[in-house]
Amino acid sequence: MPDSPAGPPAPPIALSELLAREELGLRRIAGPDQADLLWVHTSEMADPYPYLLGGELLLSAGVQLTDADTYVARLVQAGAAALGFGVAPVHDTVPAALVEACDRHGLPLLEVPPATRFTAIAQAVWRLMAEARHRELRRVTRAQQALATAAARPDPVPAVLRQLAVQLEGRVALLTADGGVLHAAGGRPAPDVQTALARLARVVAPTAPTAPTAPTAPSGSTGPAPDRKPNPSSATDTRGGTHLFAYALGGGQGLALALATPRRDLGDHTVAGIAVVLLSLLTAPHQGADAASRSAALVRLLLGAAPQDVAPLLGGGDSWTVVHARRADGTPAGPLNAGALGAALGSALSDVDRETVRVLLPGRHEAVPPQPGWTLGVSGPAPVNALPDADTQAARALGHAEATRTALTTHRPGTGGLAALIPPDRAEAHARTLLAPLTEPLAETLRCWLSLHGSWDRTAVALKVHRNTVRQRIARCAVLLDADLDDMDVRTELWFALRDHGSARA
């Protein structure tokens, strides 16, 4: 069969469903009674093989039919699902040689009566496919809701596995890289199925070496060792009509989700994918701070402990980084989105504040990577007692990223230069005096406007206000400061005061 593209975005249609449409008057006269239809194609070529994708119901009136056996053999070789033969105007009846060839090669043969147009058959197949697609979408939606509900239970991992076993009507298990069963649900499979599932788990989540070793070149080789190929994220197999699947879970735990199901419907892969995401979040490691340590940290904070005394329980050292994020498509983020983003950034410390996700990263992070589907603002490294300032930095960086339509902006503190020539205490005193007439909203608007080179529209996006509001605030700043904000010297002085010393204002 020639290479064919991916199939249509709908489940295949059973031949029996098409035969059940009485208005078409179709009758199977040869070949097996079961087939899955993916397409409808009409051709009067003597050899339509080059134009078939596989899975077609091929419709023909036999205009150029001369050698029935060769014709049917080529259709089977191309992967055609069935042949519909139109009676009249070329042939009064279906040729006996064609009936015999279809029986011999195992190709279902349908007799199409003269009153049935080929277009009517095609329309019937498309309607059946649309109905099947809608049924499958409803099933996937119900499964997604059921799995999300299970993930919110006190025992989320076993609950998700039990619900997945119900949705797929099979055996599901959470396996370690060596095939050990952590949790399972559904009927117990045969021993050979269990062995095959353990093998698939090793394929997608192989056992990590006990100690890291430097790569070595093969014996007799003078060049570097070849790069090790990454492990696949999924693997499949079959055992006696049972479909086997394994999916690697994220989080670096070396875990795999294994499935053994009696059939494989189109939406099953989507349902399994939802379960993989949920289980990856539920089993992800917590970067040096387990649940007990986080609970202890929360209790100590509520009882009055200082943040710097609690930070060691959360895995943090002398430096922390704050990340603010919003969905790039503008949709609101929920707890699962926040947890997934935190896991991707390597932290279990995440929260949702309205539409903004905030993630706290223990340690110094020089380069936080962009995340697909998110807009990020990253603070500079800060000690635990300066986290409020880092939170402000991350919020400003996120606003700047949205205003400039970039995926990620990192706060860059002053690194010296001319500003370093002024003693900090004198600079802070000057900034306090210079900015004293401004309220906090006015000062923040002025700082954002200056950072975006005086752009009204970008400042409005960053602050999430109307551009006229920005104009009014900047005009008010000019009046209160009695300054010409079009003067570059004035802008430079205000920028230094707002960027590095604005927090010193009363």
PDB file of all heavy atoms in Angstrom, residues 291-314:
ATOM      1  N   ALA A 291       5.510  17.275  50.772  1.00  0.00           N
ATOM      2  CA  ALA A 291       4.276  17.869  51.272  1.00  0.00           C
ATOM      3  C   ALA A 291       4.354  18.158  52.767  1.00  0.00           C
ATOM      4  O   ALA A 291       3.826  19.168  53.245  1.00  0.00           O
ATOM      5  CB  ALA A 291       3.099  16.922  50.978  1.00  0.00           C
ATOM      6  N   ALA A 292       5.001  17.287  53.525  1.00  0.00           N
ATOM      7  CA  ALA A 292       5.108  17.515  54.971  1.00  0.00           C
ATOM      8  C   ALA A 292       5.903  18.785  55.271  1.00  0.00           C
ATOM      9  O   ALA A 292       5.541  19.563  56.164  1.00  0.00           O
ATOM     10  CB  ALA A 292       5.770  16.307  55.635  1.00  0.00           C
ATOM     11  N   SER A 293       6.978  19.014  54.543  1.00  0.00           N
ATOM     12  CA  SER A 293       7.778  20.212  54.768  1.00  0.00           C
ATOM     13  C   SER A 293       6.987  21.466  54.430  1.00  0.00           C
ATOM     14  O   SER A 293       7.050  22.471  55.137  1.00  0.00           O
ATOM     15  CB  SER A 293       9.058  20.161  53.931  1.00  0.00           C
ATOM     16  OG  SER A 293       9.886  19.105  54.356  1.00  0.00           O
ATOM     17  N   ARG A 294       6.209  21.422  53.338  1.00  0.00           N
ATOM     18  CA  ARG A 294       5.414  22.597  52.991  1.00  0.00           C
ATOM     19  C   ARG A 294       4.339  22.861  54.023  1.00  0.00           C
ATOM     20  O   ARG A 294       4.052  24.010  54.354  1.00  0.00           O
ATOM     21  CB  ARG A 294       4.804  22.415  51.595  1.00  0.00           C
ATOM     22  CG  ARG A 294       5.837  22.396  50.487  1.00  0.00           C
ATOM     23  CD  ARG A 294       5.195  22.600  49.138  1.00  0.00           C
ATOM     24  NE  ARG A 294       4.136  21.625  48.879  1.00  0.00           N
ATOM     25  CZ  ARG A 294       4.350  20.403  48.407  1.00  0.00           C
ATOM     26  NH1 ARG A 294       5.589  20.023  48.149  1.00  0.00           N
ATOM     27  NH2 ARG A 294       3.354  19.586  48.199  1.00  0.00           N
ATOM     28  N   SER A 295       3.732  21.797  54.533  1.00  0.00           N
ATOM     29  CA  SER A 295       2.739  21.984  55.585  1.00  0.00           C
ATOM     30  C   SER A 295       3.370  22.585  56.835  1.00  0.00           C
ATOM     31  O   SER A 295       2.796  23.487  57.471  1.00  0.00           O
ATOM     32  CB  SER A 295       2.075  20.643  55.924  1.00  0.00           C
ATOM     33  OG  SER A 295       1.397  20.126  54.809  1.00  0.00           O
ATOM     34  N   ALA A 296       4.559  22.108  57.189  1.00  0.00           N
ATOM     35  CA  ALA A 296       5.239  22.657  58.353  1.00  0.00           C
ATOM     36  C   ALA A 296       5.570  24.130  58.150  1.00  0.00           C
ATOM     37  O   ALA A 296       5.436  24.951  59.073  1.00  0.00           O
ATOM     38  CB  ALA A 296       6.515  21.860  58.637  1.00  0.00           C
ATOM     39  N   ALA A 297       5.982  24.489  56.933  1.00  0.00           N
ATOM     40  CA  ALA A 297       6.287  25.887  56.648  1.00  0.00           C
ATOM     41  C   ALA A 297       5.050  26.764  56.787  1.00  0.00           C
ATOM     42  O   ALA A 297       5.100  27.858  57.357  1.00  0.00           O
ATOM     43  CB  ALA A 297       6.871  26.014  55.242  1.00  0.00           C
ATOM     44  N   LEU A 298       3.915  26.273  56.284  1.00  0.00           N
ATOM     45  CA  LEU A 298       2.677  27.035  56.400  1.00  0.00           C
ATOM     46  C   LEU A 298       2.274  27.220  57.853  1.00  0.00           C
ATOM     47  O   LEU A 298       1.900  28.324  58.280  1.00  0.00           O
ATOM     48  CB  LEU A 298       1.562  26.319  55.621  1.00  0.00           C
ATOM     49  CG  LEU A 298       0.170  26.941  55.723  1.00  0.00           C
ATOM     50  CD1 LEU A 298       0.180  28.364  55.184  1.00  0.00           C
ATOM     51  CD2 LEU A 298      -0.852  26.088  54.965  1.00  0.00           C
ATOM     52  N   VAL A 299       2.362  26.148  58.642  1.00  0.00           N
ATOM     53  CA  VAL A 299       2.001  26.249  60.061  1.00  0.00           C
ATOM     54  C   VAL A 299       2.893  27.261  60.772  1.00  0.00           C
ATOM     55  O   VAL A 299       2.421  28.110  61.553  1.00  0.00           O
ATOM     56  CB  VAL A 299       2.103  24.865  60.732  1.00  0.00           C
ATOM     57  CG1 VAL A 299       1.973  24.994  62.244  1.00  0.00           C
ATOM     58  CG2 VAL A 299       1.025  23.934  60.182  1.00  0.00           C
ATOM     59  N   ARG A 300       4.176  27.232  60.495  1.00  0.00           N
ATOM     60  CA  ARG A 300       5.090  28.153  61.175  1.00  0.00           C
ATOM     61  C   ARG A 300       4.822  29.600  60.775  1.00  0.00           C
ATOM     62  O   ARG A 300       4.898  30.502  61.615  1.00  0.00           O
ATOM     63  CB  ARG A 300       6.535  27.766  60.861  1.00  0.00           C
ATOM     64  CG  ARG A 300       6.923  26.412  61.431  1.00  0.00           C
ATOM     65  CD  ARG A 300       8.413  26.130  61.268  1.00  0.00           C
ATOM     66  NE  ARG A 300       8.726  24.758  61.647  1.00  0.00           N
ATOM     67  CZ  ARG A 300       9.957  24.257  61.693  1.00  0.00           C
ATOM     68  NH1 ARG A 300      10.996  25.030  61.378  1.00  0.00           N
ATOM     69  NH2 ARG A 300      10.167  23.006  62.030  1.00  0.00           N
ATOM     70  N   LEU A 301       4.499  29.831  59.504  1.00  0.00           N
ATOM     71  CA  LEU A 301       4.167  31.184  59.091  1.00  0.00           C
ATOM     72  C   LEU A 301       2.910  31.679  59.793  1.00  0.00           C
ATOM     73  O   LEU A 301       2.838  32.821  60.254  1.00  0.00           O
ATOM     74  CB  LEU A 301       3.974  31.240  57.578  1.00  0.00           C
ATOM     75  CG  LEU A 301       5.234  31.243  56.725  1.00  0.00           C
ATOM     76  CD1 LEU A 301       4.867  31.154  55.245  1.00  0.00           C
ATOM     77  CD2 LEU A 301       6.050  32.510  56.963  1.00  0.00           C
ATOM     78  N   LEU A 302       1.904  30.820  59.885  1.00  0.00           N
ATOM     79  CA  LEU A 302       0.659  31.214  60.548  1.00  0.00           C
ATOM     80  C   LEU A 302       0.855  31.459  62.038  1.00  0.00           C
ATOM     81  O   LEU A 302       0.128  32.248  62.644  1.00  0.00           O
ATOM     82  CB  LEU A 302      -0.414  30.127  60.333  1.00  0.00           C
ATOM     83  CG  LEU A 302      -0.916  29.967  58.887  1.00  0.00           C
ATOM     84  CD1 LEU A 302      -1.860  28.776  58.787  1.00  0.00           C
ATOM     85  CD2 LEU A 302      -1.617  31.242  58.431  1.00  0.00           C
ATOM     86  N   LEU A 303       1.845  30.805  62.604  1.00  0.00           N
ATOM     87  CA  LEU A 303       2.110  30.980  64.035  1.00  0.00           C
ATOM     88  C   LEU A 303       3.133  32.086  64.291  1.00  0.00           C
ATOM     89  O   LEU A 303       3.583  32.246  65.426  1.00  0.00           O
ATOM     90  CB  LEU A 303       2.592  29.664  64.638  1.00  0.00           C
ATOM     91  CG  LEU A 303       1.551  28.536  64.655  1.00  0.00           C
ATOM     92  CD1 LEU A 303       2.134  27.269  65.265  1.00  0.00           C
ATOM     93  CD2 LEU A 303       0.306  28.958  65.441  1.00  0.00           C
ATOM     94  N   GLY A 304       3.512  32.821  63.266  1.00  0.00           N
ATOM     95  CA  GLY A 304       4.327  33.993  63.487  1.00  0.00           C
ATOM     96  C   GLY A 304       5.793  33.872  63.155  1.00  0.00           C
ATOM     97  O   GLY A 304       6.560  34.800  63.435  1.00  0.00           O
ATOM     98  N   ALA A 305       6.231  32.767  62.552  1.00  0.00           N
ATOM     99  CA  ALA A 305       7.640  32.632  62.217  1.00  0.00           C
ATOM    100  C   ALA A 305       8.007  33.601  61.086  1.00  0.00           C
ATOM    101  O   ALA A 305       7.170  33.951  60.253  1.00  0.00           O
ATOM    102  CB  ALA A 305       7.958  31.198  61.792  1.00  0.00           C
ATOM    103  N   ALA A 306       9.240  34.051  61.070  1.00  0.00           N
ATOM    104  CA  ALA A 306       9.717  34.946  60.027  1.00  0.00           C
ATOM    105  C   ALA A 306       9.946  34.156  58.735  1.00  0.00           C
ATOM    106  O   ALA A 306      10.329  32.985  58.786  1.00  0.00           O
ATOM    107  CB  ALA A 306      11.021  35.614  60.468  1.00  0.00           C
ATOM    108  N   PRO A 307       9.704  34.779  57.567  1.00  0.00           N
ATOM    109  CA  PRO A 307       9.898  34.064  56.295  1.00  0.00           C
ATOM    110  C   PRO A 307      11.289  33.463  56.144  1.00  0.00           C
ATOM    111  O   PRO A 307      11.422  32.353  55.632  1.00  0.00           O
ATOM    112  CB  PRO A 307       9.626  35.146  55.247  1.00  0.00           C
ATOM    113  CG  PRO A 307       8.727  36.122  55.922  1.00  0.00           C
ATOM    114  CD  PRO A 307       9.158  36.127  57.368  1.00  0.00           C
ATOM    115  N   GLN A 308      12.331  34.184  56.597  1.00  0.00           N
ATOM    116  CA  GLN A 308      13.678  33.647  56.443  1.00  0.00           C
ATOM    117  C   GLN A 308      13.914  32.404  57.292  1.00  0.00           C
ATOM    118  O   GLN A 308      14.791  31.592  56.991  1.00  0.00           O
ATOM    119  CB  GLN A 308      14.733  34.719  56.789  1.00  0.00           C
ATOM    120  CG  GLN A 308      14.595  35.314  58.170  1.00  0.00           C
ATOM    121  CD  GLN A 308      13.758  36.581  58.153  1.00  0.00           C
ATOM    122  OE1 GLN A 308      12.877  36.731  57.306  1.00  0.00           O
ATOM    123  NE2 GLN A 308      14.042  37.492  59.091  1.00  0.00           N
ATOM    124  N   ASP A 309      13.118  32.230  58.358  1.00  0.00           N
ATOM    125  CA  ASP A 309      13.243  31.025  59.167  1.00  0.00           C
ATOM    126  C   ASP A 309      12.510  29.839  58.537  1.00  0.00           C
ATOM    127  O   ASP A 309      12.831  28.685  58.820  1.00  0.00           O
ATOM    128  CB  ASP A 309      12.693  31.274  60.572  1.00  0.00           C
ATOM    129  CG  ASP A 309      13.486  32.327  61.326  1.00  0.00           C
ATOM    130  OD1 ASP A 309      14.687  32.473  61.022  1.00  0.00           O
ATOM    131  OD2 ASP A 309      12.913  33.013  62.196  1.00  0.00           O
ATOM    132  N   VAL A 310      11.513  30.128  57.697  1.00  0.00           N
ATOM    133  CA  VAL A 310      10.696  29.081  57.081  1.00  0.00           C
ATOM    134  C   VAL A 310      11.266  28.641  55.736  1.00  0.00           C
ATOM    135  O   VAL A 310      11.072  27.507  55.297  1.00  0.00           O
ATOM    136  CB  VAL A 310       9.245  29.590  56.917  1.00  0.00           C
ATOM    137  CG1 VAL A 310       8.408  28.601  56.116  1.00  0.00           C
ATOM    138  CG2 VAL A 310       8.619  29.829  58.275  1.00  0.00           C
ATOM    139  N   ALA A 311      11.990  29.533  55.065  1.00  0.00           N
ATOM    140  CA  ALA A 311      12.476  29.261  53.714  1.00  0.00           C
ATOM    141  C   ALA A 311      13.228  27.938  53.579  1.00  0.00           C
ATOM    142  O   ALA A 311      13.048  27.226  52.588  1.00  0.00           O
ATOM    143  CB  ALA A 311      13.352  30.421  53.233  1.00  0.00           C
ATOM    144  N   PRO A 312      14.089  27.539  54.549  1.00  0.00           N
ATOM    145  CA  PRO A 312      14.800  26.266  54.378  1.00  0.00           C
ATOM    146  C   PRO A 312      13.875  25.058  54.228  1.00  0.00           C
ATOM    147  O   PRO A 312      14.224  24.080  53.562  1.00  0.00           O
ATOM    148  CB  PRO A 312      15.648  26.161  55.649  1.00  0.00           C
ATOM    149  CG  PRO A 312      15.867  27.580  56.067  1.00  0.00           C
ATOM    150  CD  PRO A 312      14.590  28.279  55.730  1.00  0.00           C
ATOM    151  N   LEU A 313      12.667  25.111  54.829  1.00  0.00           N
ATOM    152  CA  LEU A 313      11.729  23.995  54.702  1.00  0.00           C
ATOM    153  C   LEU A 313      11.201  23.870  53.277  1.00  0.00           C
ATOM    154  O   LEU A 313      10.752  22.795  52.863  1.00  0.00           O
ATOM    155  CB  LEU A 313      10.550  24.184  55.667  1.00  0.00           C
ATOM    156  CG  LEU A 313      10.874  24.069  57.158  1.00  0.00           C
ATOM    157  CD1 LEU A 313       9.654  24.426  57.986  1.00  0.00           C
ATOM    158  CD2 LEU A 313      11.341  22.655  57.486  1.00  0.00           C
ATOM    159  N   LEU A 314      11.224  24.957  52.536  1.00  0.00           N
ATOM    160  CA  LEU A 314      10.712  24.957  51.171  1.00  0.00           C
ATOM    161  C   LEU A 314      11.800  24.708  50.142  1.00  0.00           C
ATOM    162  O   LEU A 314      11.557  24.805  48.942  1.00  0.00           O
ATOM    163  CB  LEU A 314      10.027  26.296  50.879  1.00  0.00           C
ATOM    164  CG  LEU A 314       8.832  26.636  51.769  1.00  0.00           C
ATOM    165  CD1 LEU A 314       8.325  28.042  51.458  1.00  0.00           C
ATOM    166  CD2 LEU A 314       7.728  25.619  51.599  1.00  0.00           C
TER     167      LEU A 314
END
